[in-house]
Amino acid sequence: MAKNTLHLYYRPGACSLAPHILLEHIGADYTLTEAPRDDSYRAINPTGAVPAVDVGDGDILTQCDAILHFICATHDRSDLTGGDDVRQQAEVTKWCAFLTGDFHPAFFPVFVPKRYSTDQSADAQRHVKAAGLELVKNGLGLIDTHLSGRNTFVGNGLTVVDFYAVPMLRWAAHSLPDGLAPWPATDAFYQQLCDHPAVRSAMQAQGIAP
């Protein structure tokens, strides 16, 4: 497939940070638009969520995991999705699925607790947020066990999983009283990755800090 200039719709610090980092890492041609938070953006992505990528001629691709894999496939970077090793490919798929289906949703009650209770009182919202934070901590526990003694999620080199984890670990660092300190392997991984040139560049472009 020919490589077109990709156009990424993002919001600062959202999970769209992951494909932004990837595009920087591989040196792809791309442009950026900060997605508005009104109905005009639903013409691009009916869910209103980011990321979305125009892959050429108005062909829109959504869902972060799919976008990450599409970028790698169209830029000959299979090394970032497991290479030729079927077992490594499966590990990349497994961890992307964990981040998409388990860890990311744990933050929803933290960020938007009103969606998760018919009781809209301040006390009820505190309980919903607290429950969400417990889910986040559970996810961090699994991640920390896996990363103990490791520098990357899969194999010995960077994959899309590492970039995908960045925005969520950033959310955790900002949401929890002690940040990532109680999970030392995860904290070390995150600090190391935040020093990566692609991560620094993407965060700077989005006007955010680690």
Side-chain angles (χ1 to χ4, degrees):
M1 179 181 290
K3 289 183 283 188
N4 296 317
T5 297
L6 302 177
H7 189 80
L8 174 66
Y9 294 88
Y10 78 100
R11 293 188 183 115
C15 61
S16 48
L17 179 61
H20 193 173
I21 294 168
L22 175 61
L23 290 165
E24 282 288 320
H25 178 66
I26 66 176
D29 291 327
Y30 73 96
T31 55
L32 290 170
T33 293
E34 183 173 343
R37 296 180 181 275
D38 56 38
D39 286 344
S40 65
Y41 177 62
R42 293 184 183 275
I44 303 297
N45 184 359
T47 70
V50 291
V53 169
D54 188 330
V55 302
D57 300 321
D59 181 12
I60 302 296
L61 180 64
T62 63
Q63 299 297 333
C64 192
D65 185 8
I67 290 169
L68 292 170
H69 279 78
F70 177 86
I71 292 170
C72 290
T74 54
H75 290 77
D76 300 319
R77 294 303 304 265
S78 63
D79 59 302
L80 297 171
T81 55
D84 295 327
D85 188 323
V86 175
R87 187 68 182 87
Q88 296 288 296
Q89 293 171 16
E91 284 295 306
V92 169
T93 300
K94 179 188 82 172
W95 282 106
C96 282
F98 169 78
L99 292 173
T100 299
D102 294 299
F103 199 45
H104 189 173
F107 289 92
F108 295 160
V110 178
F111 295 151
V112 282
K114 290 184 178 181
R115 292 183 184 176
Y116 293 88
S117 176
T118 57
D119 185 345
Q120 298 297 295
S121 69
D123 188 56
Q125 300 311 301
R126 281 194 296 271
H127 284 294
V128 170
K129 183 175 180 179
L133 288 173
E134 288 303 311
L135 293 174
V136 170
K137 291 175 185 178
N138 289 342
L140 287 170
L142 294 171
I143 291 170
D144 202 63
T145 298
H146 176 71
L147 288 177
S148 181
R150 307 177 58 91
N151 293 318
T152 58
F153 267 88
V154 179
N156 297 315
L158 290 169
T159 66
V160 294
V161 182
D162 302 299
F163 298 145
Y164 196 6
V166 168
M168 296 176 219
L169 294 180
R170 180 177 177 273
W171 301 341
H174 283 265
S175 299
L176 295 164
D178 297 319
L180 296 175
W183 301 274
T186 306
D187 192 21
F189 166 83
Y190 179 64
Q191 297 302 329
Q192 173 184 296
L193 208 49
C194 284
D195 284 333
H196 190 286
V199 177
R200 293 201 308 267
S201 181
M203 286 190 178
Q204 183 178 10
Q206 295 195 11
I208 59 174

